[in-house]
Amino acid sequence: MPYVNIKITNEDVTPEKKALLIKGATQLLVDVLGKNPNTTVVVIDEVDTDNWGIAGETITVRRQQGK
Amino acid sequence: MPYVNIKITNEDVTPEKKALLIKGATQLLVDVLGKNPNTTVVVIDEVDTDNWGIAGETITVRRQQGK
Amino acid sequence: MPYVNIKITNEDVTPEKKALLIKGATQLLVDVLGKNPNTTVVVIDEVDTDNWGIAGETITVRRQQGK
Amino acid sequence: MPYVNIKITNEDVTPEKKALLIKGATQLLVDVLGKNPNTTVVVIDEVDTDNWGIAGETITVRRQQGK
Amino acid sequence: MPYVNIKITNEDVTPEKKALLIKGATQLLVDVLGKNPNTTVVVIDEVDTDNWGIAGETITVRRQQGK
Amino acid sequence: MPYVNIKITNEDVTPEKKALLIKGATQLLVDVLGKNPNTTVVVIDEVDTDNWGIAGETITVRRQQGK
């Protein structure tokens, strides 16, 4: 029944890696809280680097600066 | 003033169906809680089947297995 | 499999009304998109009127002004 | 450490305007609460006008009606 | 830089278990995507069983029925 | 019409400061994108320090360590 939302930048995240995130997050809820995996939902949001900011700057700008 | 967020997989959801979801969710808030529809916001997020997981598997994989 | 999040102010929302919101939102997804109700999740967030703003004002202030 | 999510319709929002939203939201948290900008995250979601509703109508329909 | 939100019902989740969820979700992002843990944020929302629904019913009702 | 969600830890945030966050976030959308303040919604979520993690640790633990 838990719901997990993972937000990451859309930088070459393959379907295989997404599948690993979903599998791992579901297992975490099973291991720590004994939740039922069959009703555990995981949603991954991929966000454009222009639309994600940290320290007041977009990730696009930070990548250009090698941060 | 309520805010409703509906997350679904992006599998052939037409603009007409989206309009019905928005109309229905707004009406639900009016009917149950007497909210003002003019300030009721509904946002629909369509999520790629690679990015949605249940039971530790992506929807893409589950669709391939006929689940 | 859909996920619905309803955000409302915490102003006397009874368990019966919450149950109606959950029932109605689930039925909406069944009716419009043919979704499976058994994996449709609805989460209601009740927000303090100090923590909700519209038109740049908190709901607390607007209630005091009879808005 | 704060997390800010800004949801807007995807109507010609340039990278420059997104950068201003990120800069401004971060500064707001610094000014009002003294938060550390280096761990303040801002994520902008751009939503299709078919997927955003207010007053029970999609923004697409409202734009056509000149609202 | 990732942001993870975990929503669960508020049924006896100890601070120790919350710490394990935070540690595990952060490590998952490091392992699968090579993300920097120092800017990985995890937020846990605990939701009242009256406010969480699945299959059109609240968790409160389902717990009473032994589901 | 925009929707802004601000998540912060629940550490002595007064109603006055919340009002400033709401006012400031609304004004930001007006200034940068010319949005209508009357339909701009801001919701503040205050999160327990046990429920917020960064760098794999809860804020509770980090505060104890003087971080």
Side-chain angles (χ1 to χ4, degrees), chain C:
Chain C
M1 204 183 47
Y3 172 80
V4 180
N5 180 229
I6 299 173
K7 286 186 198 291
I8 49 178
T9 46
N10 61 349
E11 301 173 282
D12 295 320
V13 187
T14 62
E16 289 72 24
K17 293 201 169 178
K18 292 177 194 175
L20 288 174
L21 288 175
I22 286 167
K23 190 178 175 185
T26 303
Q27 193 59 43
L28 181 68
L29 274 293
V30 172
D31 290 347
V32 176
L33 296 178
K35 294 294 185 183
N36 178 358
N38 292 322
T39 53
T40 297
V41 173
V42 182
V43 172
I44 300 169
D45 292 333
E46 292 175 277
V47 177
D48 196 277
T49 55
D50 278 350
N51 291 24
W52 193 300
I54 190 164
E57 294 175 319
T58 67
I59 300 299
T60 303
V61 165
R62 290 170 73 86
R63 292 288 184 254
Q64 288 165 356
Q65 297 172 347
K67 289 183 192 169

Side-chain angles (χ1 to χ4, degrees), chain A residues 13-22 44 46, chain B residues 50-51 58:
Chain A
V13 187
T14 62
E16 288 73 25
K17 292 200 170 180
K18 292 178 195 175
L20 287 173
L21 287 175
I22 286 168
I44 300 168
E46 293 174 275
Chain B
D50 278 350
N51 291 25
T58 67

Side-chain angles (χ1 to χ4, degrees), chain D residues 35-63:
Chain D
K35 295 293 185 182
N36 178 358
N38 292 322
T39 53
T40 296
V41 172
V42 182
V43 172
I44 300 168
D45 292 333
E46 292 175 275
V47 177
D48 195 277
T49 56
D50 278 350
N51 291 25
W52 193 299
I54 189 163
E57 296 175 317
T58 66
I59 299 299
T60 304
V61 165
R62 291 171 72 86
R63 292 288 185 254

Side-chain angles (χ1 to χ4, degrees), chain D residues 4-62:
Chain D
V4 180
N5 180 228
I6 300 173
K7 287 187 197 290
I8 49 178
T9 45
N10 62 349
E11 302 173 282
D12 296 321
V13 187
T14 62
E16 288 72 25
K17 292 200 170 180
K18 293 178 195 172
L20 287 173
L21 288 175
I22 286 167
K23 190 178 175 186
T26 304
Q27 192 60 43
L28 181 67
L29 273 293
V30 172
D31 290 347
V32 176
L33 296 178
K35 295 293 185 182
N36 178 358
N38 292 322
T39 53
T40 296
V41 172
V42 182
V43 172
I44 300 168
D45 292 333
E46 292 175 275
V47 177
D48 195 277
T49 56
D50 278 350
N51 291 25
W52 193 299
I54 189 163
E57 296 175 317
T58 66
I59 299 299
T60 304
V61 165
R62 291 171 72 86

Side-chain angles (χ1 to χ4, degrees), chain A residues 1-9 11 13 17 20-21 24-25 28-29 32-33 35 39 52 54 59 63, chain E residues 1-9 13 17 20-21 24-25 28-29 32-33 35 39 52 54 59 63:
Chain A
M1 207 182 46
Y3 172 79
V4 180
N5 180 227
I6 299 173
K7 286 186 198 293
I8 50 179
T9 45
E11 301 173 281
V13 187
K17 292 200 170 180
L20 287 173
L21 287 175
L28 181 67
L29 273 294
V32 176
L33 296 178
K35 294 292 184 184
T39 53
W52 192 300
I54 190 165
I59 300 299
R63 292 287 185 257
Chain E
M1 205 183 47
Y3 171 79
V4 180
N5 180 228
I6 299 173
K7 286 186 198 291
I8 48 178
T9 45
V13 188
K17 293 200 170 178
L20 287 173
L21 288 175
L28 181 67
L29 273 293
V32 176
L33 296 178
K35 294 293 185 182
T39 54
W52 192 301
I54 190 163
I59 300 299
R63 291 287 185 256

Side-chain angles (χ1 to χ4, degrees), chain E residues 28-60:
Chain E
L28 181 67
L29 273 293
V30 172
D31 290 347
V32 176
L33 296 178
K35 294 293 185 182
N36 179 356
N38 292 322
T39 54
T40 296
V41 172
V42 182
V43 172
I44 299 169
D45 291 334
E46 292 174 276
V47 177
D48 195 277
T49 55
D50 278 350
N51 291 24
W52 192 301
I54 190 163
E57 295 175 319
T58 66
I59 300 299
T60 303

Side-chain angles (χ1 to χ4, degrees), chain A residues 18-58:
Chain A
K18 292 178 195 175
L20 287 173
L21 287 175
I22 286 168
K23 189 177 176 186
T26 303
Q27 192 59 43
L28 181 67
L29 273 294
V30 173
D31 290 347
V32 176
L33 296 178
K35 294 292 184 184
N36 179 356
N38 292 322
T39 53
T40 296
V41 173
V42 183
V43 172
I44 300 168
D45 292 333
E46 293 174 275
V47 177
D48 196 277
T49 56
D50 277 351
N51 290 25
W52 192 300
I54 190 165
E57 295 175 319
T58 66

